[in-house]
Amino acid sequence: MTLVALDKTTLDRLGQIARQAGAAIMAVYGQDDVAVTQKSDDSPVTAADLASHTVIIEQLAEAFPHTPVLSEEAVIDWESRRQWQEYFLIDPLDGTKEFIKRNGEFTVNIALVRDGVAVAGVVFAPVLDTCYLGANGLGAWLERQGEQQPLQGCAQKREVPVVVGSRSHQSAEMAGYLAELGDHELLSVGSSLKFCMLAEGRADLYPRLGPTSEWDTAAAQAVLESAGGRVVVYGETNPLVYNKKEQLLNPWFMATAPGWNGD
């Protein structure tokens, strides 16, 4: 199997694909009435999810014809994907509920996963016209208005930590964690933008004590880790890994900004 080159050219190409998918999403976002249907797991799906999926699948097939793709909108059976050494893991529209609410907090997520590790990823927020890119060993970047700048987070610890949490998915366990944490500032944010805020240094902690799927986290994990942050299984030191089991649900996890040590 020919592996995808893990370089800036590849990363920028993934960013271009994410932007094309974002354009397809925005074409639907601008419509007065967007139909919403429910999938078998009761999660919502719109024409924007499917349009973005189609763009990404077609563009990845053209640019990386030998690399399989796993999408939220086209799940591959375990017997097939358990043999994969490398694949693209995509969420064509992360934050569909935020899309429906029209608050702009939704993203296109494209990750390259190799041997279970999210080694590269791009997260594009179409409404914000902001793209986050990162790859292991290369670093991380923020791209806005055609300009890229390195993402290095913030190494200075705040007196009161800034915690990001889900806007649409709250849990009693999260409330308990925050009570134990003590003084903090809580920001509610949709989609994988929570990871990106850590990578930018605008927040310190993202504890996720509730369900997520692998396509929700892989791209943003690659960005955050490439910026110097961490994403580990909650209560452990092991990072989140991918395609290691039939179920595509993640365990609870804790994401931390670069420089965060919890002391």
Side-chain angles (χ1 to χ4, degrees):
M1 176 180 179
T2 302
L3 297 179
V4 173
L6 197 59
D7 55 23
K8 193 63 165 51
T9 299
T10 293
L11 198 58
D12 287 337
R13 182 69 184 99
L14 295 179
Q16 292 167 3
I17 294 172
R19 284 185 172 276
Q20 290 178 272
I25 290 172
M26 293 304 291
V28 179
Y29 195 64
Q31 298 174 6
D32 293 333
D33 186 24
V34 178
V36 181
T37 57
Q38 301 297 122
K39 295 191 288 190
S40 59
D41 62 357
D42 288 331
S43 62
V45 64
T46 71
D49 297 76
L50 302 178
S52 176
H53 166 84
T54 298
V55 168
I56 298 170
I57 292 295
E58 290 178 351
Q59 292 299 313
L60 287 178
E62 180 180 322
F64 309 99
H66 305 295
T67 307
V69 181
L70 175 62
S71 169
E72 178 180 8
E73 307 307 334
V75 176
I76 307 298
D77 68 272
W78 171 236
E79 288 306 313
S80 298
R81 60 183 169 81
R82 70 188 303 175
Q83 311 298 328
W84 293 351
Q85 179 183 358
E86 179 178 77
Y87 68 104
F88 288 107
L89 177 57
I90 68 173
D91 191 340
L93 203 172
D94 181 32
T96 300
K97 291 183 178 179
E98 316 310 326
F99 174 90
I100 294 167
K101 295 174 185 175
R102 295 181 179 272
N103 65 17
E105 294 179 354
F106 53 85
T107 60
V108 176
N109 298 345
I110 305 176
L112 177 65
V113 178
R114 183 177 293 168
D115 295 326
V117 177
V119 296
V122 299
V123 175
F124 176 55
V127 171
L128 304 176
D129 189 26
T130 300
C131 190
Y132 301 87
L133 311 93
N136 288 6
L138 291 181
W141 293 266
L142 182 153
E143 181 181 274
R144 187 179 288 131
Q145 297 180 339
E147 298 291 331
Q148 286 189 5
Q149 62 184 52
L151 271 178
Q152 297 175 326
C154 178
Q156 293 183 345
K157 185 182 176 185
R158 298 174 177 88
E159 290 186 12
V160 176
V162 176
V163 181
V164 286
S166 174
R167 189 177 293 283
S168 299
H169 303 276
Q170 303 296 333
S171 71
E173 292 82 1
M174 177 67 165
Y177 169 82
L178 293 175
E180 289 187 13
L181 179 63
D183 290 343
H184 65 276
E185 178 185 353
L186 178 63
L187 302 177
S188 294
V189 183
S191 73
S192 56
L193 287 171
K194 294 182 283 293
F195 292 93
C196 299
M197 290 179 67
L198 298 179
E200 282 189 83
R202 293 195 287 142
D204 302 298
L205 301 170
Y206 171 28
R208 187 56 182 252
L209 311 186
T212 57
S213 295
E214 293 188 2
W215 45 73
D216 295 318
T217 59
Q221 179 178 357
V223 170
L224 177 55
E225 291 180 341
S226 298
R230 301 179 69 206
V231 184
V232 299
V233 177
Y234 186 74
E236 301 180 11
T237 58
N238 300 317
L240 283 188
V241 293
Y242 297 90
N243 200 38
K244 294 297 184 180
K245 59 189 188 309
E246 182 173 4
Q247 279 285 342
L248 289 164
L249 292 176
N250 289 319
W252 290 359
F253 62 82
M254 172 66 77
T256 53
W260 175 264
N261 57 24
D263 294 337

